[in-house]
Amino acid sequence: MFCYQCEQTANGTGCTKIGVCGKQPDVAALQDLLVYGLKGVAFYANEARKAGKKDAEVDRFMLEGLFTTVTNVDFDAEAIVKILKKCAQMRDKAKALAGPVVGNVPEAAQWQPAADTAGLVEQGEAHGVQSNGVDPDVKSVQEILIYGMKGYAAYADHALILGRESDEIYAFTHKALAATLDKSLGLMDFVTLALECGRINLVTMELLNKAHTDAYGHPVPTSVQLGTKKGKAILVSGHDLKMLEELLKQTEGKGINIYTHGEMLPAHGYPGLKKYPHLVGNFGGAWQDQAKEFPDFPGAIIFNTNCIQRPANSYKDRLFTWGLVQWPDVKHIDGWDFSEVIQKAQEHEGFGDNPGQEILVGFGHNAVLGVADKVIDAVKGGQIKHFFLVGGCDGAKTGRNYYTEFAEKAPEDTVILTLACGKYRFNKLQFGDIGGIPRLLDVGQCNDSYSAVQIALALADAFKCSVNDLPLSFILSWYEQKAVAVLLTLLHLGIKDIKIGPSLPAFVTPNVLNFLVQNFNIGPIGTADEDLKAALGTA
């Protein structure tokens, strides 16, 4: 196997024996084969679109397939085999739709699935990341493109669950993935596609934001309890709000309290979700601590998206998965009936009353821009000197304490915007406020980068300048492919001077990194002190 799509990849170069995430070699090969097969689907779907033909089932399958290969989503070989068989069916459907094709048909569009799992694994091993002999720099940008597409596919899948989709997203997905089979394209062709991927991710995040706010209202500043309340308990981890809503409906009046975990924390800020009195708090921190925290949760646990890790026997029997996330021998819930999860919760003792700290969430763009005049006056009056966006994915790799130190050392006349699970590095700290404006504003999930962008654009408009001219610095942490999609969006918007860490992606070659430095002045994080001085112009 060879996989280097996440920040924690072995030795900073690539996992070759087993994934640091827990991915086994057979699963890695099957996921590689799925990406290869999706390229074949995209080839024919793109050809069909040239003739004005499209198919909703094919379009939606592309999101499912790409999302399946995101880090920490699907570890179940049997489940991926089923998706591979469907991939071949969707390719044939797209082929029939496209009709006769002029010119050469790529091998990926002619792939036929092997008869058994062992054969599929062998096929996947022949079509891995390192198998196509492409120029290293071209390959680097192709991978950036593909990982960006995987990232926005996750967001598009959540939007689709809420009944929202965009043909613009589907059209680009087919065009861009098919382009990776076109040997006539060069480096700058893929650079252009990667930046366009950033634009499409912005479209996708806007679509998901609209889906969320139409369904549940705009987030409002809300205190979230980190302690426990007496009663049976279910813990929800992941990102999907619709799944949480359905579980809340099905547990009403049953004496079961619902707790969020990880990236589900921002759910507490939505009026349509916080109205349920048994949505009582948040348990634990970011995804990488689940093996230490979940044994202490006395109820059922369910994942509705990434990031799942190898479960310990101490809680595996009360762990469930839903949607595209799966783990071998862990009970998977198909559909919207959560009665098995509820029953499991009722079999366990639950929590006693033990109130704890409260933290604030709910500072999406609607909430922040609702007090924009106050923020602008504070900047003009010198009370707020600088804004920092400090957020992104968290992880277990050493070096992430940088983000805690950075937040702690940020001067008291600065405001920190944060989002995604990277916030857990500092969201329990006390930062105070500036004239009633909290110094720490939790914007939401990783997809709520859309809100952060809207806040930045609104500030730029208010001060009649570009985002790059604002007293605003981007200090990002990354782990998986959704972070790649968000980074491409920022680059599409022309945002410069971004700091990223704790390490740079293994799939970025020195030449590609040099291009990013020359054109966007991207750089790795240094020390908190050095980066603060540089951002504040005191170096």
Side-chain angles (χ1 to χ4, degrees):
M1 69 175 284
F2 182 82
C3 181
Y4 61 176
Q5 70 174 4
C6 87
E7 191 271 335
Q8 292 182 181
T9 193
N11 301 314
T13 55
C15 295
T16 58
K17 295 181 180 179
I18 185 174
V20 172
C21 65
K23 183 164 57 178
Q24 297 297 316
D26 61 337
V27 171
L30 293 171
Q31 289 189 0
D32 285 342
L33 184 59
L34 179 53
V35 172
Y36 181 73
L38 289 169
K39 291 178 181 179
V41 179
F43 172 79
Y44 280 118
N46 190 52
E47 291 297 315
R49 281 177 172 266
K50 292 177 183 178
K53 301 176 183 178
K54 56 188 177 183
D55 182 89
E57 185 181 19
V58 171
D59 292 340
R60 293 166 183 167
F61 176 75
M62 295 298 290
L63 302 180
E64 176 186 349
L66 287 167
F67 191 7
T68 294
T69 67
V70 167
T71 301
N72 292 95
V73 173
D74 195 337
F75 293 86
D76 191 329
E78 292 183 9
I80 301 173
V81 166
K82 293 178 182 177
I83 297 173
L84 279 165
K85 291 178 179 178
K86 186 176 180 181
C87 183
Q89 295 170 357
M90 293 299 100
R91 189 270 321 281
D92 290 344
K93 190 173 188 180
K95 180 180 179 180
L97 199 65
V101 173
V102 177
N104 295 326
V105 175
E107 290 183 6
Q110 302 177 56
W111 162 74
Q112 294 297 328
D116 56 21
T117 300
L120 290 168
V121 169
E122 187 175 348
Q123 287 182 327
E125 291 170 343
H127 297 294
V129 173
Q130 297 178 309
S131 64
N132 61 3
V134 175
D135 172 84
D137 295 329
V138 173
K139 183 62 179 174
S140 176
V141 182
Q142 285 183 345
E143 292 304 303
I144 292 170
L145 170 63
I146 291 170
Y147 299 154
M149 294 168 68
K150 289 184 180 188
Y152 76 62
Y155 299 150
D157 182 76
H158 294 311
L160 182 59
I161 288 171
L162 285 166
R164 301 299 177 89
E165 55 190 323
S166 165
D167 194 62
E168 185 177 12
I169 296 170
Y170 295 136
F172 176 79
T173 302
H174 298 312
K175 180 185 77 170
L177 205 52
T180 64
L181 300 173
D182 188 343
K183 296 180 181 179
S184 72
L185 299 181
L187 180 62
M188 294 310 298
D189 295 307
F190 288 107
V191 168
T192 299
L193 282 169
L195 293 175
E196 189 178 354
C197 180
R199 183 185 69 80
I200 293 298
N201 183 57
L202 184 61
V203 169
T204 309
M205 292 192 299
E206 181 179 18
L207 183 74
L208 181 54
N209 178 268
K210 188 74 163 57
H212 281 163
T213 56
D214 282 355
Y216 309 116
H218 283 281
V220 295
T222 302
S223 293
V224 180
Q225 174 61 237
L226 301 184
T228 62
K229 184 176 180 180
K230 185 177 180 180
K232 305 292 185 177
I234 296 175
L235 183 64
V236 182
S237 188
H239 301 76
D240 198 274
L241 300 187
K242 177 64 175 175
M243 176 266 160
L244 174 63
E245 180 192 25
E246 291 301 316
L247 181 63
L248 286 166
K249 289 178 179 178
Q250 293 176 36
T251 49
E252 278 189 294
K254 289 184 168 63
I256 298 175
N257 294 319
I258 307 300
Y259 295 82
T260 55
H261 173 262
E263 287 247 45
M264 293 302 295
L265 170 62
H268 292 270
Y270 287 91
L273 296 174
K274 63 181 292 186
K275 70 181 182 182
Y276 292 94
H278 59 300
L279 179 63
V280 297
N282 191 75
F283 177 87
W287 66 272
Q288 75 275 5
D289 294 327
Q290 61 192 261
K292 293 184 292 185
E293 296 171 343
F294 285 4
D296 297 326
F297 189 83
I301 305 165
I302 184 166
F303 275 90
N304 60 41
T305 61
N306 59 325
C307 292
I308 190 172
Q309 292 180 296
R310 179 185 297 279
N313 290 333
S314 59
Y315 61 86
K316 188 176 181 179
D317 67 320
R318 48 196 171 87
L319 182 66
F320 298 83
T321 59
W322 178 88
L324 293 177
V325 62
Q326 297 203 50
W327 190 281
D329 301 322
V330 168
K331 175 65 180 179
H332 186 73
I333 303 297
D334 286 313
W336 300 96
D337 182 357
F338 297 107
S339 56
E340 288 186 73
V341 183
I342 293 168
Q343 180 180 346
K344 184 62 67 173
Q346 291 170 331
E347 292 172 1
H348 288 76
E349 60 182 319
F351 282 114
D353 281 319
N354 186 21
Q357 180 183 353
E358 293 187 355
I359 58 175
L360 277 173
V361 302
F363 292 95
H365 65 278
N366 190 67
V368 174
L369 297 182
V371 293
D373 291 346
K374 192 174 183 180
V375 173
I376 292 166
D377 287 344
V379 174
K380 289 180 176 179
Q383 290 83 35
I384 296 177
K385 294 283 183 26
H386 205 88
F387 297 90
F388 295 105
L389 175 60
V390 186
C393 311
D394 203 3
K397 192 173 180 179
T398 56
R400 290 183 181 269
N401 286 339
Y402 161 93
Y403 298 97
T404 309
E405 184 181 355
F406 189 99
E408 287 178 321
K409 290 184 174 180
E412 292 185 359
D413 55 5
T414 63
V415 171
I416 300 169
L417 303 170
T418 192
L419 47 77
C421 59
K423 73 186 71 169
Y424 283 102
R425 290 284 165 174
F426 48 80
N427 69 342
K428 298 179 183 68
L429 303 178
Q430 300 300 316
F431 291 95
D433 65 85
I434 299 174
I437 302 167
R439 285 194 56 233
L440 180 65
L441 301 175
D442 187 342
V443 179
Q445 298 177 318
C446 54
N447 50 275
D448 291 313
S449 298
Y450 173 77
S451 270
V453 166
Q454 297 310 305
I455 293 168
L457 292 174
L459 288 173
D461 182 65
F463 289 106
K464 308 301 180 186
C465 66
S466 72
V467 171
N468 290 320
D469 294 325
L470 288 171
L472 168 66
S473 300
F474 291 81
I475 313 294
L476 306 182
S477 56
W478 83 283
Y479 171 65
E480 41 93 322
Q481 297 74 59
K482 285 180 274 187
V484 177
V486 171
L487 177 61
L488 290 176
T489 294
L490 297 178
L491 299 183
H492 156 71
L493 293 170
I495 295 173
K496 298 182 178 181
D497 303 320
I498 299 168
K499 294 288 186 182
I500 187 169
S503 60
L504 296 177
F507 49 82
V508 175
T509 61
N511 287 335
V512 172
L513 177 59
N514 186 54
F515 173 87
L516 292 172
V517 170
Q518 288 182 347
N519 288 273
F520 299 98
N521 200 33
I522 279 183
I525 58 172
T527 68
D529 288 327
E530 292 169 347
D531 292 346
L532 277 166
K533 287 179 181 178
L536 297 171
T538 57

